[in-house]
Amino acid sequence: MAKIIPFKAVRPTRAIVGLVAARPYQSYTVNERESRMDYNPYSFLHIINPGYKYDQVITGEERYKLVRNRYLEFKEDGVFIQDKKPSFYVYKIVNRFGQEFNGIIAATSAEDYEKDIIKKHENTIAKREKTFKTYLQTVGFNAEPVLLTYPDNDVILSIIKDTQKSHAEFEFTMTYKDTHYLWKVDDEATIATIQSEFDNMETIYIADGHHRSASSHLLYADEKTKNANHDGSEPYNFFMSYLIPESDLVIHEFNRLVKDLNGLTKEAFLIQLDSLYRIENRGNIPYHPSKPHHFSMYLDGEFYSLYLRKKRYAFNTALDELDAHLLYKTILQPILGINDLRDDNRIEYVNGRHEMITIKSSVDSGEFKVGFGMCPANIKQMKHIADEGLKMPPKSTYILPKLRSGITIYEF
């Protein structure tokens, strides 16, 4: 039974919301960040990069305290205002490719995360979890929702569509040509209906934001221990999420680029591949796989198709069926010697929204020796892996929508 609650969001004013909203901090280059902060005093980047004001890099808890200060200044200056009634927020994104995402921003339960009602499919790094927990405790807010997905639901869909018939609180377009819309839902009967529908769901799934949700759970566990009067209603019991139906989720693959052949010649490498794959040289014709367990490869100026010899590989779990894991277990680890997909600097990742020509140009440049492409995972695979308590390798999925920071803020 998934528990969600409305909350009083802190939001930018309608006039400047498009100036405030920002992509995740690490998605900008240094030049992009500096340019936006030079010319846009309202950007949320000013809050999360407070050292810009003093023209220096500030890290650790000193930075967190300054983030809190910049946030309070935005509130004092009227850039942010807080809604007077607890609300859900219907949110729509239409990207430049015409893909549309519709869902509800709400506060979701850290206890549900603990009980595995909110299910995970990716491993997290304990150090990052603890660092971000400390950050949350210091700044006192969530500014970017965790992306959660739920089974398609006709009642919730009807509420979303009916809400969207009214004038949107926000409507703005970002520089990447994604248009965002927000509607406030504060009618108590409608709120109760939405909560009841989620209460009937046995599980919901994290699509994107595993570290943010894990850190919010650590915060909840820490604050609960310190609070002798804890009753489960405190704001730290929840974290902000954007919940969308499974049919709205778009999943791309992450393709792999490797810098060397682990000491092998091209011929020796192909011979080792042959034991597990049927290999066809496609010459200079770009090939993209159309079936699970098929891979594309670009090596030494030529494209190859790789078809798994299934009698040589055992499918025992849902994870075994995942192509990102299959590539790791059959090629990247045993042949190319890449054991740590997260930290090995010999491997890099390119999201599947880019064509195979990106793989080709990266290898042709000499920076990489070989590139691999695969089919994307699907929501059914993600759920099966989560249901079995297993975890995907890093960079297994590139999931849309990508959310912005600073549009709705949850305080605790």
Side-chain angles (χ1 to χ4, degrees):
M1 298 184 293
K3 181 177 182 179
I4 69 170
I5 64 168
F7 66 101
K8 298 177 183 178
V10 175
R11 302 187 281 127
T13 61
R14 179 182 177 87
I16 60 172
V17 60
L19 296 173
V20 173
R23 302 199 315 270
Y25 182 79
Q26 297 298 336
S27 70
Y28 294 94
T29 66
V30 173
N31 288 338
E32 283 178 323
R33 286 198 298 265
E34 290 182 352
S35 175
R36 279 162 171 74
M37 289 187 286
D38 283 344
Y39 297 104
N40 179 7
Y42 299 112
S43 174
F44 195 77
L45 292 172
H46 284 283
I47 292 177
I48 56 179
N49 186 23
Y52 172 84
K53 182 176 181 179
Y54 303 105
D55 194 26
Q56 62 178 294
V57 176
I58 301 172
T59 59
E61 294 197 37
E62 183 181 15
R63 172 178 168 255
Y64 307 160
K65 291 174 183 177
L66 290 176
V67 168
R68 176 69 178 171
N69 292 345
R70 293 294 87 76
Y71 173 66
L72 293 176
E73 288 169 6
F74 268 49
K75 291 182 72 176
E76 291 163 1
D77 292 343
V79 176
F80 287 138
I81 56 175
Q82 186 165 26
D83 287 326
K84 298 186 183 302
K85 292 180 64 177
S87 304
F88 288 137
Y89 300 88
V90 168
Y91 197 68
K92 179 168 81 170
I93 304 171
V94 182
N95 67 22
R96 64 187 185 277
F97 305 106
Q99 295 166 317
E100 185 173 310
F101 309 95
N102 297 275
I104 294 172
I105 296 175
T108 47
S109 169
E111 187 177 20
D112 282 356
Y113 179 94
E114 184 174 81
K115 292 180 176 179
D116 213 30
I117 293 170
I118 297 175
K119 286 184 174 281
K120 314 93 182 166
H121 66 263
E122 286 186 5
N123 280 318
T124 52
I125 301 171
K127 183 178 179 180
R128 285 183 62 189
E129 291 179 21
K130 293 175 182 177
T131 297
F132 195 58
K133 186 262 292 186
T134 303
Y135 170 84
L136 292 175
Q137 283 180 314
T138 306
V139 304
F141 61 80
N142 289 148
E144 181 186 343
V146 172
L147 182 63
L148 300 179
T149 188
Y150 60 89
D152 287 32
N153 181 290
D154 289 340
V155 174
I156 297 173
L157 178 62
S158 178
I159 290 172
I160 288 173
K161 293 303 181 184
D162 286 346
T163 301
Q164 291 174 343
K165 293 175 183 177
S166 62
H167 185 66
E169 295 272 330
F170 291 158
E171 179 181 345
F172 62 96
T173 301
M174 304 293 291
T175 53
Y176 279 73
K177 299 182 180 179
D178 294 351
T179 303
H180 299 248
Y181 306 80
L182 180 140
W183 294 262
K184 184 168 63 173
V185 178
D186 59 10
D187 173 71
E188 292 182 4
T190 305
I191 287 172
T193 300
I194 293 170
Q195 287 180 304
S196 176
E197 292 301 313
F198 277 95
D199 190 53
N200 290 328
M201 297 178 191
E202 291 186 7
T203 54
I204 54 180
Y205 294 80
I206 299 173
D208 196 13
H210 283 78
H211 279 94
R212 277 173 282 135
S213 50
S215 302
S216 295
H217 173 257
L218 285 182
L219 174 71
Y220 148 79
D222 200 4
E223 295 297 320
K224 180 176 69 170
T225 301
K226 293 189 294 187
N227 184 0
N229 298 313
H230 171 85
D231 64 12
S233 66
E234 298 87 354
Y236 61 71
N237 289 278
F238 303 90
F239 57 95
M240 184 171 64
S241 297
Y242 179 43
L243 300 113
I244 68 171
E246 291 174 3
S247 60
D248 270 21
L249 204 65
V250 174
I251 306 174
H252 293 283
E253 72 279 13
F254 266 106
N255 296 320
R256 273 71 169 138
L257 286 162
V258 182
K259 293 186 176 181
D260 59 66
L261 297 182
N262 197 28
L264 297 171
T265 63
K266 171 186 170 181
E267 292 72 22
F269 175 62
L270 289 172
I271 288 171
Q272 289 205 31
L273 281 183
D274 192 79
S275 65
L276 278 171
Y277 289 91
R278 177 180 172 182
I279 305 170
E280 183 177 343
N281 188 323
R282 304 266 178 164
N284 61 3
I285 301 172
Y287 168 73
H288 191 280
S290 59
K291 295 180 180 179
H293 316 326
H294 289 188
F295 299 95
S296 61
M297 182 176 73
Y298 185 72
L299 172 67
D300 195 25
E302 296 177 307
F303 288 95
Y304 295 82
S305 58
L306 307 179
Y307 299 161
L308 179 70
R309 301 184 191 276
K310 295 185 179 180
K311 290 184 179 179
R312 300 292 304 277
Y313 182 84
F315 297 99
N316 298 315
T317 69
L319 185 60
D320 292 331
E321 296 278 353
L322 183 72
D323 279 352
H325 182 71
L326 174 60
L327 184 70
Y328 172 69
K329 296 299 290 185
T330 59
I331 300 176
L332 298 180
Q333 184 185 47
I335 300 177
L336 294 179
I338 295 173
N339 294 305
D340 189 340
L341 291 172
R342 196 179 300 276
D343 293 325
D344 195 317
N345 60 15
R346 296 170 55 225
I347 186 168
E348 290 192 15
Y349 304 90
V350 180
N351 78 66
R353 294 175 74 176
H354 298 283
E355 300 293 335
M356 283 302 297
I357 199 68
T358 304
I359 299 289
K360 179 181 185 302
S361 61
S362 298
V363 173
D364 287 347
S365 72
E367 184 180 2
F368 298 92
K369 188 68 175 179
V370 63
F372 300 95
M374 68 190 83
C375 290
N378 57 54
I379 185 62
K380 185 177 179 181
Q381 284 181 296
M382 285 174 51
K383 290 172 65 175
H384 283 173
I385 289 169
D387 290 344
E388 290 183 16
L390 302 171
K391 300 294 184 291
M392 292 182 174
K395 300 293 186 182
S396 291
T397 55
Y398 180 85
I399 293 177
L400 299 177
K402 294 297 181 187
L403 305 178
R404 298 296 187 264
S405 297
I407 299 172
T408 56
I409 296 172
Y410 175 74
E411 293 186 336
F412 40 81

